[in-house]
């Protein structure tokens, strides 16, 4: 075994020296360490830093004033340095969730070098960790049967180019000839076909709900809702250009108009049950806006509609056919009795008031919908909860 | 359009405040900026830092002494601070490649907050960028037809558990009934079924070579070669535990013995041409070791074998059937005239001398093989080159 050990040692060195780790005599830093009582200890080896702070969504928020109003932003805490140059902070007891954080070293926001797990949200990267329990276990890979996830390209005749899709097929799909219902799951502004996978923990949520018998096995299709974008950042011919929040034409009707060709592609390339009763659409923020207009424009297409923190805004100045006579289209949609029209929003969401207005319109017309109101604002924590709730009500 | 603009603004704030960016009046940092002459400018906003350095594989290496010998490690350069608190470093003119780097702020290795593109290599994360040209363009997503990439699970009877696979199917696979040859592409120690995708730029290389008519359309299967590991870090029920370099049983024969069931699964779930002439296996380092022993153990299985910087070590003390009479098995393998036996290694690789010994054995026996020697050592830059070379010689 001597030679094998040699290989281990040398490969370990090869990795470690590239990592600039304190290899010889240096201690191995564990961070984050989730303690038995669900406090979490964060550590950073930084003997020469003057200040190290942590910011994350598990800390009490603080108010930030902006020209557009006051915003709740994650708070900040100081780490304390010990005599070995290791900075440390221990959190309060945390309830079960998927949390994100960054360190701030001498004023520079950095990722935790001891934690390889991170999420990109548009152009921001944070480290993540999960506290066990409910809902954290739903967001975790458990010892259950897993679905498959495929990244593939379809050709859009509407915009005359190939566009990327992320498609989840449930456990069992690869081992039979069964046909499945389909959920179309749309992202928000700045997002892409990877957002629900990474930030929404979509495949974990569906794997777990299906394994527990709480959701029907279904195909889940994640499109790229930015019609001018072929694919997520890094996955298109734009190369490794940095993500841009303000993409053009995201809410001008083109994506909604082109949506039937996505359904056509999915129906011809996957074993779907291709009817209204076995098709759902939902989305967050801009994706909720898209879901509202797509489902109203094509009222025979979806029996299940989910609007998560939806951007229920007036469409002043946008001339697309999709947005014309919007109220009438919703009336036609409800006359065809969709099985579920689901709305969820956080109490402090900046879009809350627009959802109140839209619900008033639905109420005034006696249109039946299911409503969920949660704490917090326009955040992924809520969208994971909404997906979990919505998915359990589908195709039953 | 006023309301839409409001949505843009507020969503942008929501993202930006979470990102702790200097929003109001703060400048937007561009880093890395690839200049027209292929110098690269790196920038970091860090007014309160005392020192900012950069380390990366585009800088001249330096020698690092270790108990196991001297190692070439990436060099380090200082950034210079301007009066706005922005630190900057401009590289020399760089030849085309995919490069990686980190900043070091007051002694702490950090990622570049202006660059969302990064690679994980075992437990180390670095930012990446690509300089156009050859070979950089091969590692880039170009405006060509793209294959699909699927992450799925197969049940291993041998180890009695589900294990994860990453499978590339070429452009056109989803739109026909054609059967395809298969390349099994194995990772090295500390790697997993994601390593060739992320660090090896496998799907980009194959998309581009196939689009240029230089490689045959083929299915590429990336297994997890760590038999005790179900899936890549973060993708198994181990949860978000940090990657571990020293996994047990990685070179004890179990993975090699279990390999036929992977082939059986792939042949029964994908449209493969299931014969020796349409099956290839290759791998880097430990994956080269695996490829050598699997192809010799099953001499009627693979017509194409690629050993990339292979761990050609003596197997003292390991008792698996797979390693018994190894030389004789290779002799049987060559008696069956494989179409290609390909060896590649870097001149300064710590495994170089073991490859010299193995090539002497092949030469002494007059076994024909193709040999490529490159600059540098045990690094991904070489493995991407070897994949590019090897893939072009397959199934022709």
């Amino acid at each position: 075994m001597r030679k094998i050990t040699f290989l281990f040692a040398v490969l370990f060195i090869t990795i470690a020296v590239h990592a600039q780790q304190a290899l010889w005599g240096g201690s191995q830093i564990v961070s984050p360490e989730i303690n038995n009582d669900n406090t979490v200890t964060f550590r950073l080896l930084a003997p020469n830093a003057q200040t190290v702070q942590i910011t994350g969504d598990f800390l009490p928020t603080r108010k930030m004033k902006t020209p557009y109003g006051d915003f709740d932003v994650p708070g900040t805490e100081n780490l304390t340095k010990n005599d070995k140059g290791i900075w440390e902070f221990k959190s309060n007891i945390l309830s079960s969730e998927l949390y994100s954080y960054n360190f701030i070293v001498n004023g520079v926001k950095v990722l935790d070098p001891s934690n390889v797990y991170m999420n990109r949200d548009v152009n921001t990267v944070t480290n993540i960790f999960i506290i066990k329990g409910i809902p954290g276990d739903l967001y975790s890979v458990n010892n259950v049967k897993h679905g498959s996830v495929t990244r593939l390209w379809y050709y859009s005749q509407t915009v005359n180019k190939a566009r990327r899709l992320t498609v989840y097929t449930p456990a069992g799909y690869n081992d039979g000839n069964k046909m499945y219902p389909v959920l179309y799951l749309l992202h928000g502004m700045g997002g892409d076909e990877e957002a629900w996978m990474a930030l929404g923990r979509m495949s974990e949520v569906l794997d777990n709900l299906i394994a527990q018998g709480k959701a029907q096995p279904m195909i889940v299709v994640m499109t790229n809702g930015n019609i001018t974008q072929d694919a997520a950042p890094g996955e298109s011919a734009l190369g490794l250009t940095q993500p841009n929040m303000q993409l053009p034409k995201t809410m001008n009707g083109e994506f909604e108009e082109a949506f039937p060709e996505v359904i056509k592609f999915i129906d011809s390339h996957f074993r779907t049950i291709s009817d209204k009763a076995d098709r759902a659409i939902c989305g967050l923020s801009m994706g909720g806006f898209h879901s509202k207009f797509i489902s109203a424009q094509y009222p025979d297409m979806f029996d299940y509609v989910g609007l998560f923190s939806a951007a229920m805004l007036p469409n002043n100045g946008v001339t697309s056919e999709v947005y014309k006579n919007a109220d009438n289209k919703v009336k036609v949609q409800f006359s065809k009795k969709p099985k579920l029209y689901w709305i969820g929003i956080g109490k402090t969401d900046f879009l809350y008031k627009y959802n109140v207005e839209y619900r008033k319109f639905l109420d005034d017309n006696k249109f039946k919908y299911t409503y969920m109101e949660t704490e917090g604002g326009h955040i992924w924590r809520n969208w994971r909860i909404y997906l979990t709730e919505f998915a359990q009500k589908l195709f039953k």
Side-chain angles (χ1 to χ4, degrees), chain A:
Chain A
M1 293 293 281
R2 200 180 54 82
K3 290 291 182 182
I4 299 287
T5 309
F6 170 78
L7 180 66
F8 266 127
V10 174
L11 283 177
F12 183 68
I13 293 165
T14 306
I15 301 277
V17 293
H18 282 81
Q20 304 292 321
Q21 289 176 338
L23 237 201
W24 313 111
S27 56
Q28 197 66 29
I29 306 297
V30 177
S31 178
E33 182 173 9
I34 298 166
N35 306 305
N36 289 334
D37 61 355
N38 285 349
T39 59
V40 180
T41 305
F42 301 88
R43 296 185 184 90
L44 181 72
L45 177 64
N48 299 321
Q50 269 76 42
T51 62
V52 178
Q53 296 166 294
I54 186 167
T55 179
D57 56 7
F58 55 90
L59 294 171
T61 57
R62 60 186 173 83
K63 290 277 177 208
M64 178 173 166
K65 285 188 189 304
T66 82
Y68 294 88
D70 288 358
F71 285 80
D72 284 328
V73 301
T76 300
E77 294 284 348
N78 294 314
L79 281 72
T80 309
K81 186 165 80 165
N82 72 13
D83 56 5
K84 287 171 187 147
I86 299 170
W87 298 74
E88 200 171 287
F89 171 76
K90 188 173 164 180
S91 77
N92 292 334
I93 294 171
L94 300 182
S95 58
S96 179
E97 238 320 324
L98 184 156
Y99 293 103
S100 62
Y101 70 101
N102 286 107
F103 289 137
I104 304 170
V105 176
N106 277 41
V108 184
K109 187 200 73 164
V110 303
L111 289 155
D112 182 347
S114 301
N115 184 359
V116 302
Y117 300 110
M118 37 187 92
N119 268 344
R120 177 181 66 82
D121 191 359
V122 193
N123 53 9
T124 301
V125 182
T126 53
N127 286 110
I128 61 168
F129 64 96
I130 293 176
I131 301 287
K132 284 184 204 292
I134 302 294
D137 291 351
L138 274 176
Y139 311 151
S140 303
V141 181
N142 293 309
N143 201 3
V144 299
K145 288 189 176 172
H146 303 293
S148 306
V149 179
T150 300
R151 273 78 174 187
L152 75 170
W153 295 72
Y154 73 101
Y155 194 83
S156 166
Q157 302 290 345
T158 312
V159 295
N160 206 23
K161 60 182 177 179
R163 307 194 71 236
R164 195 164 174 268
L165 293 170
T166 301
V167 178
Y168 169 91
T169 53
Y173 181 92
N174 296 326
D175 297 299
N177 292 311
K178 210 183 143 203
M179 313 288 275
Y180 293 88
V182 186
L183 165 62
Y184 291 85
L185 182 58
L186 311 185
H187 63 79
M189 194 168 283
D192 52 61
E193 74 277 15
E194 295 300 319
W196 272 108
M197 280 295 298
L199 297 146
R201 305 291 287 181
M202 177 263 130
S203 66
E204 289 83 359
V205 169
L206 267 286
D207 276 359
N208 290 319
L209 290 179
I210 293 169
Q212 293 169 21
K214 291 180 178 167
Q216 296 294 324
M218 65 183 87
I219 296 168
V220 182
V221 177
M222 288 154 280
T223 53
N224 185 311
N226 312 305
I227 199 72
T228 60
Q229 193 179 57
D230 306 349
E235 303 290 346
S236 79
L238 289 177
L240 303 184
T241 53
Q242 299 306 309
N244 178 6
M245 183 76 193
Q246 290 189 275
L247 294 166
K249 299 188 179 181
T250 47
M251 291 168 79
N252 76 337
E254 285 187 62
F255 175 71
E256 296 94 320
E257 286 176 38
F259 206 79
E261 69 181 6
V262 176
I263 296 177
K264 194 176 165 193
F265 176 84
I266 293 296
D267 282 347
S268 61
H269 286 78
F270 291 85
R271 296 198 314 276
T272 64
I273 313 174
S274 181
D275 59 23
K276 187 188 182 193
D278 294 283
R279 207 180 282 124
I281 189 166
C282 68
L284 74 93
S285 192
M286 177 181 84
F289 172 97
H290 285 154
S291 297
K292 178 195 161 192
F293 285 104
I294 291 168
S295 67
Q297 181 73 11
Y298 307 105
D300 297 315
M301 218 167 246
F302 303 97
D303 242 346
Y304 302 87
V305 179
L307 312 182
F308 304 171
S309 311
M312 303 285 196
L313 297 167
N315 290 91
N316 307 332
V318 180
T319 58
S320 164
E321 269 305 314
V322 171
Y323 305 135
K324 285 187 183 151
N325 307 313
D327 288 355
N328 271 340
K329 285 176 182 165
V330 173
K331 287 175 187 171
V332 172
Q333 182 180 10
F334 273 92
S335 77
K336 291 167 180 264
K337 301 198 186 309
K339 289 190 185 154
L340 178 67
Y341 201 90
W342 195 97
I343 295 175
I345 193 157
K347 288 175 188 168
T348 62
D349 196 310
F350 71 97
L351 293 167
Y352 187 85
K353 64 181 173 189
Y354 299 101
N355 276 258
V356 169
E357 284 171 23
Y358 187 58
R359 287 194 294 121
K360 182 169 185 312
F361 161 75
L362 296 177
D363 291 335
D364 288 349
N365 285 280
K366 300 196 169 26
F367 294 153
K368 206 182 134 197
Y369 60 91
T370 304
Y371 181 61
M372 181 179 201
E373 197 168 284
T374 52
E375 299 300 317
H378 208 69
I379 54 175
W380 273 101
R381 192 188 301 198
N382 277 335
W383 303 326
R384 288 188 292 264
I385 291 170
Y386 303 159
L387 173 63
T388 302
E389 291 293 316
F390 186 66
Q392 294 183 61
K393 297 182 188 303
L394 301 179
F395 315 125
K396 286 185 172 172

